[in-house]
Amino acid sequence: MPETHTNPLDAATADPFEIAQRAADDIARLTGVEKHDIALTLGSGWGRAADLIGETTATISATDVTGFSKPALDGHVGTLRSILLENGTRALVIGARTHYYEGHGVRRVVHSVRTAAAAGATTMILTNGAGGIKDHWMPGTPVLISDHINLTSDSPLEGATFVDLTDLYSQRLRDIAHRIDPSLDEGVYCQFRGPHYETPAEVQMAKTLGGHIVGMSTALEAIAARQAGMEVLGMSLITNLAAGIQATPLSHEEVIEAGRAAEAEIGNLLARIVTEL
Ligand code: HPA
């Protein structure tokens, strides 16, 4: 569907950081919260966490915030929430993810992360629903992202901007998560462009390269978060075994259903992690 409004990020002369600052100003005005401490992007299956981590003090529509687009998909909520945790931490929950496969360019993909940084957040929690390569990961298993392989051939960094990605998925934050749930496994996340699911051969390629999780988000956002100096925690909900690892064909319905079945459990887990940060 054609969009009815233009996005300022698409202008040739746009400065994405200035637009992120405008978005952060919108959030401060609309939520009444001047500064947020942490931000969470909730992917497929993770939505319930927003209700469990604290008291929602404001819910705003993403389309009222500069540079945000309408979500392309049902099951992805187009809202931003300001949540007050019991320990006084202010969390910005981003329920509006722009995926790379939408074809609007990487600036729009990482706008929410840059906005969170401009809003004051120093921790970025990125969650997603994804396919699992380790065959003992049953659908509904949450796993920590230990590193990524960016297979989009793209980057949110523009020009000669050299950013170190060692320890991109913070060991400190993973240690906290492990303390809360010692059974949590870890894996290397491979971001494919999508929106098609991978072929079995591509899954085997990802496995050979050292990947354990396949998905269509997160890596580009994590790079932008690191550029902004944020500490990153990445978590995937394994909604299905990756193509060729499971015998049956993949479907979006299966992904949504696995998310639904697991949402209370992983919401609780995320809520416990967030209070320890
Ligand atoms: N591949 C890519 N993205 C996904 C998958 C998958 O198997 N499952 C959920 N999102």
Side-chain angles (χ1 to χ4, degrees), residues 40-50 73-77 93-97 99 125-130 189 217-218 221 235-237 239 255-256 259-260 263 266 270:
L40 302 91
T41 297
L42 300 180
S44 306
W46 294 90
R48 265 298 296 286
L73 205 63
D74 292 344
H76 290 244
V77 225
V93 172
I94 300 158
R97 180 177 247 149
H99 285 88
I125 300 180
L126 298 168
T127 66
N128 58 58
Y189 181 93
S217 66
T218 303
E221 296 159 36
M235 291 187 79
S236 293
L237 171 70
T239 56
V255 168
I256 296 295
R260 243 184 235 125
E263 69 185 353
I266 60 173
L270 195 53

PDB file of all heavy atoms in Angstrom, residues 40-50 73-77 93-97 99 125-130 189 217-218 221 235-237 239 255-256 259-260 263 266 270:
ATOM      1  N   LEU A  40      13.652  -1.246  24.831  1.00  0.00           N
ATOM      2  CA  LEU A  40      13.437  -2.627  24.390  1.00  0.00           C
ATOM      3  C   LEU A  40      12.671  -2.624  23.081  1.00  0.00           C
ATOM      4  O   LEU A  40      11.653  -1.933  22.967  1.00  0.00           O
ATOM      5  CB  LEU A  40      12.602  -3.415  25.405  1.00  0.00           C
ATOM      6  CG  LEU A  40      13.083  -3.559  26.843  1.00  0.00           C
ATOM      7  CD1 LEU A  40      12.528  -2.436  27.706  1.00  0.00           C
ATOM      8  CD2 LEU A  40      12.626  -4.902  27.409  1.00  0.00           C
ATOM      9  N   THR A  41      13.154  -3.369  22.117  1.00  0.00           N
ATOM     10  CA  THR A  41      12.378  -3.618  20.913  1.00  0.00           C
ATOM     11  C   THR A  41      11.818  -5.024  21.033  1.00  0.00           C
ATOM     12  O   THR A  41      12.576  -5.986  21.199  1.00  0.00           O
ATOM     13  CB  THR A  41      13.268  -3.503  19.651  1.00  0.00           C
ATOM     14  OG1 THR A  41      13.748  -2.172  19.561  1.00  0.00           O
ATOM     15  CG2 THR A  41      12.473  -3.825  18.399  1.00  0.00           C
ATOM     16  N   LEU A  42      10.509  -5.114  21.009  1.00  0.00           N
ATOM     17  CA  LEU A  42       9.867  -6.413  21.223  1.00  0.00           C
ATOM     18  C   LEU A  42       9.430  -7.007  19.886  1.00  0.00           C
ATOM     19  O   LEU A  42       8.572  -6.456  19.207  1.00  0.00           O
ATOM     20  CB  LEU A  42       8.682  -6.265  22.173  1.00  0.00           C
ATOM     21  CG  LEU A  42       9.047  -5.726  23.567  1.00  0.00           C
ATOM     22  CD1 LEU A  42       7.807  -5.603  24.442  1.00  0.00           C
ATOM     23  CD2 LEU A  42      10.088  -6.606  24.262  1.00  0.00           C
ATOM     24  N   GLY A  43      10.041  -8.108  19.523  1.00  0.00           N
ATOM     25  CA  GLY A  43       9.707  -8.797  18.277  1.00  0.00           C
ATOM     26  C   GLY A  43       8.626  -9.839  18.478  1.00  0.00           C
ATOM     27  O   GLY A  43       7.996  -9.898  19.547  1.00  0.00           O
ATOM     28  N   SER A  44       8.433 -10.688  17.479  1.00  0.00           N
ATOM     29  CA  SER A  44       7.384 -11.715  17.521  1.00  0.00           C
ATOM     30  C   SER A  44       7.474 -12.530  18.804  1.00  0.00           C
ATOM     31  O   SER A  44       8.521 -13.101  19.104  1.00  0.00           O
ATOM     32  CB  SER A  44       7.518 -12.698  16.357  1.00  0.00           C
ATOM     33  OG  SER A  44       7.547 -12.022  15.150  1.00  0.00           O
ATOM     34  N   GLY A  45       6.368 -12.576  19.532  1.00  0.00           N
ATOM     35  CA  GLY A  45       6.295 -13.412  20.726  1.00  0.00           C
ATOM     36  C   GLY A  45       6.667 -12.689  22.009  1.00  0.00           C
ATOM     37  O   GLY A  45       6.363 -13.165  23.095  1.00  0.00           O
ATOM     38  N   TRP A  46       7.306 -11.528  21.901  1.00  0.00           N
ATOM     39  CA  TRP A  46       7.838 -10.866  23.092  1.00  0.00           C
ATOM     40  C   TRP A  46       6.926  -9.769  23.638  1.00  0.00           C
ATOM     41  O   TRP A  46       7.246  -9.126  24.640  1.00  0.00           O
ATOM     42  CB  TRP A  46       9.215 -10.266  22.787  1.00  0.00           C
ATOM     43  CG  TRP A  46      10.265 -11.291  22.508  1.00  0.00           C
ATOM     44  CD1 TRP A  46      10.590 -11.813  21.285  1.00  0.00           C
ATOM     45  CD2 TRP A  46      11.142 -11.939  23.455  1.00  0.00           C
ATOM     46  NE1 TRP A  46      11.605 -12.742  21.415  1.00  0.00           N
ATOM     47  CE2 TRP A  46      11.962 -12.832  22.731  1.00  0.00           C
ATOM     48  CE3 TRP A  46      11.291 -11.842  24.848  1.00  0.00           C
ATOM     49  CZ2 TRP A  46      12.933 -13.623  23.350  1.00  0.00           C
ATOM     50  CZ3 TRP A  46      12.258 -12.633  25.457  1.00  0.00           C
ATOM     51  CH2 TRP A  46      13.065 -13.514  24.714  1.00  0.00           C
ATOM     52  N   GLY A  47       5.800  -9.540  22.982  1.00  0.00           N
ATOM     53  CA  GLY A  47       4.947  -8.407  23.328  1.00  0.00           C
ATOM     54  C   GLY A  47       4.464  -8.381  24.778  1.00  0.00           C
ATOM     55  O   GLY A  47       4.343  -7.315  25.368  1.00  0.00           O
ATOM     56  N   ARG A  48       4.205  -9.563  25.344  1.00  0.00           N
ATOM     57  CA  ARG A  48       3.672  -9.636  26.702  1.00  0.00           C
ATOM     58  C   ARG A  48       4.610  -9.012  27.737  1.00  0.00           C
ATOM     59  O   ARG A  48       4.179  -8.556  28.802  1.00  0.00           O
ATOM     60  CB  ARG A  48       3.417 -11.094  27.098  1.00  0.00           C
ATOM     61  CG  ARG A  48       2.025 -11.611  26.903  1.00  0.00           C
ATOM     62  CD  ARG A  48       0.942 -10.911  27.696  1.00  0.00           C
ATOM     63  NE  ARG A  48       1.030 -11.016  29.151  1.00  0.00           N
ATOM     64  CZ  ARG A  48       0.743 -12.098  29.858  1.00  0.00           C
ATOM     65  NH1 ARG A  48       0.366 -13.187  29.261  1.00  0.00           N
ATOM     66  NH2 ARG A  48       0.825 -12.080  31.169  1.00  0.00           N
ATOM     67  N   ALA A  49       5.918  -9.033  27.427  1.00  0.00           N
ATOM     68  CA  ALA A  49       6.904  -8.527  28.382  1.00  0.00           C
ATOM     69  C   ALA A  49       6.575  -7.098  28.798  1.00  0.00           C
ATOM     70  O   ALA A  49       6.791  -6.707  29.947  1.00  0.00           O
ATOM     71  CB  ALA A  49       8.305  -8.601  27.783  1.00  0.00           C
ATOM     72  N   ALA A  50       6.009  -6.338  27.860  1.00  0.00           N
ATOM     73  CA  ALA A  50       5.705  -4.937  28.164  1.00  0.00           C
ATOM     74  C   ALA A  50       4.755  -4.833  29.359  1.00  0.00           C
ATOM     75  O   ALA A  50       4.863  -3.922  30.176  1.00  0.00           O
ATOM     76  CB  ALA A  50       5.100  -4.263  26.933  1.00  0.00           C
ATOM     77  N   LEU A  73       3.109  -5.245   9.241  1.00  0.00           N
ATOM     78  CA  LEU A  73       2.640  -6.595   9.512  1.00  0.00           C
ATOM     79  C   LEU A  73       1.676  -6.628  10.677  1.00  0.00           C
ATOM     80  O   LEU A  73       1.918  -6.000  11.699  1.00  0.00           O
ATOM     81  CB  LEU A  73       3.898  -7.400   9.887  1.00  0.00           C
ATOM     82  CG  LEU A  73       3.903  -8.881   9.688  1.00  0.00           C
ATOM     83  CD1 LEU A  73       3.759  -9.198   8.204  1.00  0.00           C
ATOM     84  CD2 LEU A  73       5.234  -9.439  10.189  1.00  0.00           C
ATOM     85  N   ASP A  74       0.618  -7.423  10.545  1.00  0.00           N
ATOM     86  CA  ASP A  74      -0.238  -7.690  11.700  1.00  0.00           C
ATOM     87  C   ASP A  74       0.582  -8.476  12.714  1.00  0.00           C
ATOM     88  O   ASP A  74       1.435  -9.273  12.350  1.00  0.00           O
ATOM     89  CB  ASP A  74      -1.442  -8.542  11.299  1.00  0.00           C
ATOM     90  CG  ASP A  74      -2.384  -7.765  10.398  1.00  0.00           C
ATOM     91  OD1 ASP A  74      -2.252  -6.516  10.364  1.00  0.00           O
ATOM     92  OD2 ASP A  74      -3.209  -8.399   9.726  1.00  0.00           O
ATOM     93  N   GLY A  75       0.294  -8.286  13.968  1.00  0.00           N
ATOM     94  CA  GLY A  75       1.057  -9.001  14.986  1.00  0.00           C
ATOM     95  C   GLY A  75       2.248  -8.175  15.444  1.00  0.00           C
ATOM     96  O   GLY A  75       2.897  -8.492  16.411  1.00  0.00           O
ATOM     97  N   HIS A  76       2.557  -7.114  14.722  1.00  0.00           N
ATOM     98  CA  HIS A  76       3.580  -6.157  15.160  1.00  0.00           C
ATOM     99  C   HIS A  76       2.824  -4.887  15.561  1.00  0.00           C
ATOM    100  O   HIS A  76       2.135  -4.301  14.747  1.00  0.00           O
ATOM    101  CB  HIS A  76       4.566  -5.847  14.026  1.00  0.00           C
ATOM    102  CG  HIS A  76       5.460  -7.004  13.687  1.00  0.00           C
ATOM    103  ND1 HIS A  76       6.816  -6.964  13.852  1.00  0.00           N
ATOM    104  CD2 HIS A  76       5.170  -8.236  13.216  1.00  0.00           C
ATOM    105  CE1 HIS A  76       7.332  -8.138  13.495  1.00  0.00           C
ATOM    106  NE2 HIS A  76       6.348  -8.913  13.089  1.00  0.00           N
ATOM    107  N   VAL A  77       2.970  -4.498  16.828  1.00  0.00           N
ATOM    108  CA  VAL A  77       2.176  -3.384  17.337  1.00  0.00           C
ATOM    109  C   VAL A  77       2.872  -2.063  17.029  1.00  0.00           C
ATOM    110  O   VAL A  77       4.066  -1.941  17.233  1.00  0.00           O
ATOM    111  CB  VAL A  77       2.015  -3.457  18.872  1.00  0.00           C
ATOM    112  CG1 VAL A  77       0.593  -3.182  19.270  1.00  0.00           C
ATOM    113  CG2 VAL A  77       2.538  -4.746  19.439  1.00  0.00           C
ATOM    114  N   VAL A  93       9.546   1.093  25.522  1.00  0.00           N
ATOM    115  CA  VAL A  93       9.279  -0.157  24.819  1.00  0.00           C
ATOM    116  C   VAL A  93       8.804   0.153  23.399  1.00  0.00           C
ATOM    117  O   VAL A  93       7.788   0.824  23.201  1.00  0.00           O
ATOM    118  CB  VAL A  93       8.235  -1.005  25.577  1.00  0.00           C
ATOM    119  CG1 VAL A  93       7.813  -2.214  24.742  1.00  0.00           C
ATOM    120  CG2 VAL A  93       8.821  -1.478  26.905  1.00  0.00           C
ATOM    121  N   ILE A  94       9.566  -0.337  22.468  1.00  0.00           N
ATOM    122  CA  ILE A  94       9.305  -0.031  21.062  1.00  0.00           C
ATOM    123  C   ILE A  94       8.596  -1.227  20.437  1.00  0.00           C
ATOM    124  O   ILE A  94       9.190  -2.295  20.267  1.00  0.00           O
ATOM    125  CB  ILE A  94      10.633   0.253  20.329  1.00  0.00           C
ATOM    126  CG1 ILE A  94      11.342   1.452  20.970  1.00  0.00           C
ATOM    127  CG2 ILE A  94      10.394   0.489  18.842  1.00  0.00           C
ATOM    128  CD1 ILE A  94      12.825   1.500  20.711  1.00  0.00           C
ATOM    129  N   GLY A  95       7.321  -1.044  20.151  1.00  0.00           N
ATOM    130  CA  GLY A  95       6.546  -2.125  19.539  1.00  0.00           C
ATOM    131  C   GLY A  95       6.363  -1.904  18.060  1.00  0.00           C
ATOM    132  O   GLY A  95       5.436  -2.417  17.457  1.00  0.00           O
ATOM    133  N   ALA A  96       7.234  -1.108  17.482  1.00  0.00           N
ATOM    134  CA  ALA A  96       7.083  -0.754  16.070  1.00  0.00           C
ATOM    135  C   ALA A  96       8.427  -0.927  15.391  1.00  0.00           C
ATOM    136  O   ALA A  96       9.254  -0.041  15.404  1.00  0.00           O
ATOM    137  CB  ALA A  96       6.618   0.699  15.950  1.00  0.00           C
ATOM    138  N   ARG A  97       8.653  -2.092  14.825  1.00  0.00           N
ATOM    139  CA  ARG A  97       9.943  -2.348  14.175  1.00  0.00           C
ATOM    140  C   ARG A  97       9.772  -2.206  12.668  1.00  0.00           C
ATOM    141  O   ARG A  97       8.823  -2.731  12.092  1.00  0.00           O
ATOM    142  CB  ARG A  97      10.374  -3.767  14.525  1.00  0.00           C
ATOM    143  CG  ARG A  97      11.698  -4.188  13.933  1.00  0.00           C
ATOM    144  CD  ARG A  97      12.091  -5.581  14.371  1.00  0.00           C
ATOM    145  NE  ARG A  97      13.265  -5.590  15.218  1.00  0.00           N
ATOM    146  CZ  ARG A  97      13.492  -6.481  16.174  1.00  0.00           C
ATOM    147  NH1 ARG A  97      12.615  -7.410  16.419  1.00  0.00           N
ATOM    148  NH2 ARG A  97      14.602  -6.421  16.878  1.00  0.00           N
ATOM    149  N   HIS A  99      11.317  -3.452   9.335  1.00  0.00           N
ATOM    150  CA  HIS A  99      12.233  -4.506   8.899  1.00  0.00           C
ATOM    151  C   HIS A  99      12.958  -4.105   7.622  1.00  0.00           C
ATOM    152  O   HIS A  99      12.420  -3.378   6.783  1.00  0.00           O
ATOM    153  CB  HIS A  99      11.459  -5.817   8.666  1.00  0.00           C
ATOM    154  CG  HIS A  99      11.061  -6.515   9.931  1.00  0.00           C
ATOM    155  ND1 HIS A  99       9.893  -6.235  10.586  1.00  0.00           N
ATOM    156  CD2 HIS A  99      11.698  -7.467  10.664  1.00  0.00           C
ATOM    157  CE1 HIS A  99       9.819  -6.992  11.677  1.00  0.00           C
ATOM    158  NE2 HIS A  99      10.895  -7.734  11.753  1.00  0.00           N
ATOM    159  N   ILE A 125      17.778  -3.405  24.417  1.00  0.00           N
ATOM    160  CA  ILE A 125      17.434  -4.825  24.408  1.00  0.00           C
ATOM    161  C   ILE A 125      16.684  -5.120  23.113  1.00  0.00           C
ATOM    162  O   ILE A 125      15.627  -4.535  22.854  1.00  0.00           O
ATOM    163  CB  ILE A 125      16.577  -5.194  25.637  1.00  0.00           C
ATOM    164  CG1 ILE A 125      17.367  -4.872  26.918  1.00  0.00           C
ATOM    165  CG2 ILE A 125      16.179  -6.673  25.601  1.00  0.00           C
ATOM    166  CD1 ILE A 125      16.628  -5.180  28.209  1.00  0.00           C
ATOM    167  N   LEU A 126      17.252  -5.987  22.300  1.00  0.00           N
ATOM    168  CA  LEU A 126      16.665  -6.309  21.001  1.00  0.00           C
ATOM    169  C   LEU A 126      16.168  -7.748  21.040  1.00  0.00           C
ATOM    170  O   LEU A 126      16.942  -8.670  21.340  1.00  0.00           O
ATOM    171  CB  LEU A 126      17.719  -6.158  19.899  1.00  0.00           C
ATOM    172  CG  LEU A 126      18.286  -4.739  19.727  1.00  0.00           C
ATOM    173  CD1 LEU A 126      19.519  -4.755  18.818  1.00  0.00           C
ATOM    174  CD2 LEU A 126      17.231  -3.786  19.167  1.00  0.00           C
ATOM    175  N   THR A 127      14.898  -7.950  20.775  1.00  0.00           N
ATOM    176  CA  THR A 127      14.337  -9.302  20.783  1.00  0.00           C
ATOM    177  C   THR A 127      13.718  -9.614  19.423  1.00  0.00           C
ATOM    178  O   THR A 127      13.353  -8.702  18.674  1.00  0.00           O
ATOM    179  CB  THR A 127      13.265  -9.478  21.882  1.00  0.00           C
ATOM    180  OG1 THR A 127      12.140  -8.646  21.561  1.00  0.00           O
ATOM    181  CG2 THR A 127      13.790  -9.103  23.260  1.00  0.00           C
ATOM    182  N   ASN A 128      13.614 -10.874  19.127  1.00  0.00           N
ATOM    183  CA  ASN A 128      13.014 -11.285  17.856  1.00  0.00           C
ATOM    184  C   ASN A 128      12.500 -12.714  17.954  1.00  0.00           C
ATOM    185  O   ASN A 128      12.819 -13.436  18.900  1.00  0.00           O
ATOM    186  CB  ASN A 128      14.057 -11.170  16.723  1.00  0.00           C
ATOM    187  CG  ASN A 128      15.300 -12.013  16.987  1.00  0.00           C
ATOM    188  OD1 ASN A 128      15.199 -13.226  17.162  1.00  0.00           O
ATOM    189  ND2 ASN A 128      16.458 -11.387  17.032  1.00  0.00           N
ATOM    190  N   GLY A 129      11.700 -13.090  16.977  1.00  0.00           N
ATOM    191  CA  GLY A 129      11.346 -14.496  16.763  1.00  0.00           C
ATOM    192  C   GLY A 129      12.221 -14.995  15.630  1.00  0.00           C
ATOM    193  O   GLY A 129      12.452 -14.266  14.662  1.00  0.00           O
ATOM    194  N   ALA A 130      12.738 -16.207  15.716  1.00  0.00           N
ATOM    195  CA  ALA A 130      13.725 -16.648  14.735  1.00  0.00           C
ATOM    196  C   ALA A 130      13.702 -18.152  14.571  1.00  0.00           C
ATOM    197  O   ALA A 130      13.105 -18.881  15.369  1.00  0.00           O
ATOM    198  CB  ALA A 130      15.119 -16.200  15.183  1.00  0.00           C
ATOM    199  N   TYR A 189      23.528 -15.177  15.747  1.00  0.00           N
ATOM    200  CA  TYR A 189      22.344 -14.827  14.956  1.00  0.00           C
ATOM    201  C   TYR A 189      22.767 -14.409  13.548  1.00  0.00           C
ATOM    202  O   TYR A 189      23.636 -13.551  13.393  1.00  0.00           O
ATOM    203  CB  TYR A 189      21.623 -13.663  15.652  1.00  0.00           C
ATOM    204  CG  TYR A 189      20.352 -13.192  14.989  1.00  0.00           C
ATOM    205  CD1 TYR A 189      19.114 -13.702  15.362  1.00  0.00           C
ATOM    206  CD2 TYR A 189      20.377 -12.202  14.000  1.00  0.00           C
ATOM    207  CE1 TYR A 189      17.943 -13.260  14.769  1.00  0.00           C
ATOM    208  CE2 TYR A 189      19.208 -11.750  13.399  1.00  0.00           C
ATOM    209  CZ  TYR A 189      17.996 -12.284  13.787  1.00  0.00           C
ATOM    210  OH  TYR A 189      16.832 -11.839  13.197  1.00  0.00           O
ATOM    211  N   SER A 217      16.049  -9.617  11.326  1.00  0.00           N
ATOM    212  CA  SER A 217      16.147  -8.317  12.006  1.00  0.00           C
ATOM    213  C   SER A 217      17.421  -8.271  12.840  1.00  0.00           C
ATOM    214  O   SER A 217      18.360  -9.033  12.605  1.00  0.00           O
ATOM    215  CB  SER A 217      14.921  -8.106  12.910  1.00  0.00           C
ATOM    216  OG  SER A 217      14.935  -9.048  13.978  1.00  0.00           O
ATOM    217  N   THR A 218      17.465  -7.349  13.754  1.00  0.00           N
ATOM    218  CA  THR A 218      18.394  -7.286  14.901  1.00  0.00           C
ATOM    219  C   THR A 218      19.843  -6.897  14.605  1.00  0.00           C
ATOM    220  O   THR A 218      20.383  -6.004  15.276  1.00  0.00           O
ATOM    221  CB  THR A 218      18.338  -8.605  15.723  1.00  0.00           C
ATOM    222  OG1 THR A 218      16.979  -8.789  16.138  1.00  0.00           O
ATOM    223  CG2 THR A 218      19.244  -8.569  16.944  1.00  0.00           C
ATOM    224  N   GLU A 221      20.263  -3.296  13.668  1.00  0.00           N
ATOM    225  CA  GLU A 221      19.882  -2.462  14.824  1.00  0.00           C
ATOM    226  C   GLU A 221      20.976  -2.491  15.883  1.00  0.00           C
ATOM    227  O   GLU A 221      21.292  -1.468  16.505  1.00  0.00           O
ATOM    228  CB  GLU A 221      18.557  -2.972  15.405  1.00  0.00           C
ATOM    229  CG  GLU A 221      17.391  -2.839  14.426  1.00  0.00           C
ATOM    230  CD  GLU A 221      16.229  -3.776  14.774  1.00  0.00           C
ATOM    231  OE1 GLU A 221      15.967  -4.000  15.959  1.00  0.00           O
ATOM    232  OE2 GLU A 221      15.585  -4.275  13.834  1.00  0.00           O
ATOM    233  N   MET A 235      18.066 -11.160  22.331  1.00  0.00           N
ATOM    234  CA  MET A 235      17.438 -12.455  22.645  1.00  0.00           C
ATOM    235  C   MET A 235      16.512 -12.875  21.505  1.00  0.00           C
ATOM    236  O   MET A 235      15.760 -12.058  20.976  1.00  0.00           O
ATOM    237  CB  MET A 235      16.629 -12.366  23.939  1.00  0.00           C
ATOM    238  CG  MET A 235      17.493 -12.189  25.169  1.00  0.00           C
ATOM    239  SD  MET A 235      16.512 -12.282  26.680  1.00  0.00           S
ATOM    240  CE  MET A 235      16.332 -14.048  26.832  1.00  0.00           C
ATOM    241  N   SER A 236      16.601 -14.147  21.163  1.00  0.00           N
ATOM    242  CA  SER A 236      15.701 -14.708  20.153  1.00  0.00           C
ATOM    243  C   SER A 236      14.761 -15.697  20.806  1.00  0.00           C
ATOM    244  O   SER A 236      15.175 -16.475  21.669  1.00  0.00           O
ATOM    245  CB  SER A 236      16.504 -15.463  19.080  1.00  0.00           C
ATOM    246  OG  SER A 236      17.291 -14.582  18.322  1.00  0.00           O
ATOM    247  N   LEU A 237      13.535 -15.681  20.369  1.00  0.00           N
ATOM    248  CA  LEU A 237      12.620 -16.768  20.683  1.00  0.00           C
ATOM    249  C   LEU A 237      12.653 -17.704  19.472  1.00  0.00           C
ATOM    250  O   LEU A 237      12.353 -17.269  18.345  1.00  0.00           O
ATOM    251  CB  LEU A 237      11.193 -16.244  20.889  1.00  0.00           C
ATOM    252  CG  LEU A 237      10.146 -17.356  21.003  1.00  0.00           C
ATOM    253  CD1 LEU A 237      10.306 -18.102  22.319  1.00  0.00           C
ATOM    254  CD2 LEU A 237       8.731 -16.800  20.865  1.00  0.00           C
ATOM    255  N   THR A 239      11.072 -19.834  17.209  1.00  0.00           N
ATOM    256  CA  THR A 239       9.662 -20.102  16.897  1.00  0.00           C
ATOM    257  C   THR A 239       9.515 -21.366  16.053  1.00  0.00           C
ATOM    258  O   THR A 239       8.421 -21.917  15.925  1.00  0.00           O
ATOM    259  CB  THR A 239       9.024 -18.928  16.140  1.00  0.00           C
ATOM    260  OG1 THR A 239       9.803 -18.669  14.968  1.00  0.00           O
ATOM    261  CG2 THR A 239       8.972 -17.678  16.996  1.00  0.00           C
ATOM    262  N   VAL A 255       4.980 -19.399  13.225  1.00  0.00           N
ATOM    263  CA  VAL A 255       5.850 -18.478  13.959  1.00  0.00           C
ATOM    264  C   VAL A 255       5.028 -17.692  14.980  1.00  0.00           C
ATOM    265  O   VAL A 255       5.397 -17.575  16.153  1.00  0.00           O
ATOM    266  CB  VAL A 255       6.555 -17.522  12.952  1.00  0.00           C
ATOM    267  CG1 VAL A 255       7.231 -16.365  13.669  1.00  0.00           C
ATOM    268  CG2 VAL A 255       7.573 -18.299  12.120  1.00  0.00           C
ATOM    269  N   ILE A 256       3.875 -17.180  14.550  1.00  0.00           N
ATOM    270  CA  ILE A 256       3.013 -16.394  15.439  1.00  0.00           C
ATOM    271  C   ILE A 256       2.495 -17.273  16.582  1.00  0.00           C
ATOM    272  O   ILE A 256       2.467 -16.880  17.742  1.00  0.00           O
ATOM    273  CB  ILE A 256       1.819 -15.784  14.645  1.00  0.00           C
ATOM    274  CG1 ILE A 256       2.326 -14.793  13.602  1.00  0.00           C
ATOM    275  CG2 ILE A 256       0.804 -15.115  15.569  1.00  0.00           C
ATOM    276  CD1 ILE A 256       3.008 -13.567  14.140  1.00  0.00           C
ATOM    277  N   GLY A 259       5.054 -17.991  19.191  1.00  0.00           N
ATOM    278  CA  GLY A 259       5.218 -16.785  20.000  1.00  0.00           C
ATOM    279  C   GLY A 259       4.122 -16.681  21.037  1.00  0.00           C
ATOM    280  O   GLY A 259       4.381 -16.408  22.215  1.00  0.00           O
ATOM    281  N   ARG A 260       2.903 -16.948  20.606  1.00  0.00           N
ATOM    282  CA  ARG A 260       1.759 -16.862  21.525  1.00  0.00           C
ATOM    283  C   ARG A 260       1.905 -17.854  22.676  1.00  0.00           C
ATOM    284  O   ARG A 260       1.675 -17.534  23.839  1.00  0.00           O
ATOM    285  CB  ARG A 260       0.469 -17.161  20.758  1.00  0.00           C
ATOM    286  CG  ARG A 260      -0.434 -15.966  20.755  1.00  0.00           C
ATOM    287  CD  ARG A 260      -1.767 -16.221  20.108  1.00  0.00           C
ATOM    288  NE  ARG A 260      -1.953 -15.239  19.064  1.00  0.00           N
ATOM    289  CZ  ARG A 260      -2.209 -15.506  17.798  1.00  0.00           C
ATOM    290  NH1 ARG A 260      -2.334 -16.751  17.386  1.00  0.00           N
ATOM    291  NH2 ARG A 260      -2.343 -14.543  16.931  1.00  0.00           N
ATOM    292  N   GLU A 263       4.672 -16.678  25.148  1.00  0.00           N
ATOM    293  CA  GLU A 263       4.811 -15.267  25.524  1.00  0.00           C
ATOM    294  C   GLU A 263       4.792 -14.999  27.027  1.00  0.00           C
ATOM    295  O   GLU A 263       5.537 -14.137  27.492  1.00  0.00           O
ATOM    296  CB  GLU A 263       3.838 -14.358  24.770  1.00  0.00           C
ATOM    297  CG  GLU A 263       2.390 -14.518  25.121  1.00  0.00           C
ATOM    298  CD  GLU A 263       1.508 -13.649  24.218  1.00  0.00           C
ATOM    299  OE1 GLU A 263       2.023 -12.844  23.416  1.00  0.00           O
ATOM    300  OE2 GLU A 263       0.282 -13.794  24.340  1.00  0.00           O
ATOM    301  N   ILE A 266       8.385 -16.173  28.370  1.00  0.00           N
ATOM    302  CA  ILE A 266       9.523 -15.333  27.980  1.00  0.00           C
ATOM    303  C   ILE A 266       9.314 -13.889  28.431  1.00  0.00           C
ATOM    304  O   ILE A 266      10.276 -13.182  28.717  1.00  0.00           O
ATOM    305  CB  ILE A 266       9.825 -15.407  26.461  1.00  0.00           C
ATOM    306  CG1 ILE A 266       8.629 -14.946  25.642  1.00  0.00           C
ATOM    307  CG2 ILE A 266      10.279 -16.794  26.076  1.00  0.00           C
ATOM    308  CD1 ILE A 266       8.945 -14.851  24.151  1.00  0.00           C
ATOM    309  N   LEU A 270      12.104 -11.960  30.609  1.00  0.00           N
ATOM    310  CA  LEU A 270      12.624 -10.635  30.241  1.00  0.00           C
ATOM    311  C   LEU A 270      12.373  -9.627  31.367  1.00  0.00           C
ATOM    312  O   LEU A 270      13.243  -8.796  31.674  1.00  0.00           O
ATOM    313  CB  LEU A 270      11.990 -10.172  28.925  1.00  0.00           C
ATOM    314  CG  LEU A 270      12.656  -9.009  28.218  1.00  0.00           C
ATOM    315  CD1 LEU A 270      14.147  -9.264  28.003  1.00  0.00           C
ATOM    316  CD2 LEU A 270      11.987  -8.756  26.870  1.00  0.00           C
TER     317      LEU A 270
END
